């Protein structure tokens, strides 16, 4: 059964026949600008929820966990996301304020990975984010926290059919 499953997995299709080109030499100096460009291209290509990403955190013992969430914003504070401080990820961020975000747009064979330190944003910003959520009913949620991941490193990855995938990094090489 194991070999059959392995063959099944290897036979699954990977990327569409047509993939976008990416020339790292033409990439902007600001990685947020390149991300906004790629996000717009993902949206134009029909990628559902291109702002969805995996957030990876680790507890105080270094045991990792990850889950999907939505990117809220990118500004001088960092890459914003939110959760309850009482959730598992909230507790993990309190114990170990390092995290990584990973965006994957299969239809374009693209990934963006962002890793760095995480800081809590103000209670006013957190409350504003809570009230801006779909279905907000005007209630308060004092446990809701808006965070910013301050990138140490970013990697933009473009798949190629010849398997010579393109990696473009910002930050420590």
């Amino acid at each position: 059964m194991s070999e059959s499953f392995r063959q099944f997995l290897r036979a699954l299709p990977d990327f569409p026949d047509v993939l976008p080109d990416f020339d790292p030499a033409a990439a902007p100096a600001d990685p947020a600008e390149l991300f906004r460009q790629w996000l717009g291209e993902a949206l134009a290509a029909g990628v559902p929820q291109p702002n969805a990403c995996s957030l990876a955190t680790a507890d105080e013992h270094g045991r990792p966990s990850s889950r999907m969430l939505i990117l809220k914003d990118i500004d001088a504070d960092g890459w914003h996301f939110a959760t309850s401080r009482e959730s598992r990820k909230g507790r993990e961020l309190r114990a170990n304020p390092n995290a990584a975000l990973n965006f994957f747009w299969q239809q374009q064979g693209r990934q963006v990975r962002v890793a760095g330190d995480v800081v809590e944003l103000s209670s006013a910003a957190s409350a504003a984010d809570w009230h801006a959520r779909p279905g907000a009913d005007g209630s308060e949620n004092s446990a809701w926290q808006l965070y910013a991941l301050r990138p140490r490193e970013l990697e933009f990855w473009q798949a190629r059919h010849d398997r010579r995938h393109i990696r473009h990094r910002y930050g420590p090489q």
Side-chain angles (χ1 to χ4, degrees), residues 60-171:
E60 67 273 12
H61 303 291
R63 294 178 296 227
S65 65
S66 67
R67 75 289 287 154
M68 299 300 292
L69 51 71
I70 298 296
L71 180 70
K72 304 284 188 154
D73 197 4
I74 302 172
D75 65 14
D77 287 325
W79 296 54
H80 298 200
F81 63 91
T83 190
S84 170
R85 284 189 298 279
E86 299 166 0
S87 70
R88 178 177 179 174
K89 57 186 167 290
R91 292 188 310 272
E92 288 175 349
L93 289 167
R94 190 168 40 256
N96 182 354
N98 294 281
L101 299 171
N102 193 65
F103 297 83
F104 178 58
W105 303 310
Q106 188 274 342
Q107 296 90 325
Q108 296 182 289
R110 286 180 168 172
Q111 293 185 67
V112 178
R113 187 176 53 82
V114 186
D117 302 323
V118 176
V119 297
E120 291 185 358
L121 297 180
S122 72
S123 57
S126 297
D129 183 73
W130 175 257
H131 291 294
R133 291 168 52 94
D137 61 4
S139 65
E140 299 300 319
N141 183 346
S142 61
W144 192 251
Q145 182 62 55
L146 187 62
Y147 295 91
L149 187 151
R150 295 184 171 161
R152 262 189 316 275
E153 60 176 298
L154 295 100
E155 181 179 78
F156 291 77
W157 183 89
Q158 174 66 63
R160 292 176 39 122
H161 289 295
D162 64 4
R163 296 292 189 204
R164 293 182 175 183
H165 307 307
I166 299 168
R167 286 178 171 80
H168 181 61
R169 293 182 53 119
Y170 295 85

Side-chain angles (χ1 to χ4, degrees), residues 10-28:
R10 290 181 84 55
L12 292 173
D14 50 12
F15 298 109
D17 291 336
V18 177
L19 293 170
D21 280 332
F22 175 54
D23 177 6

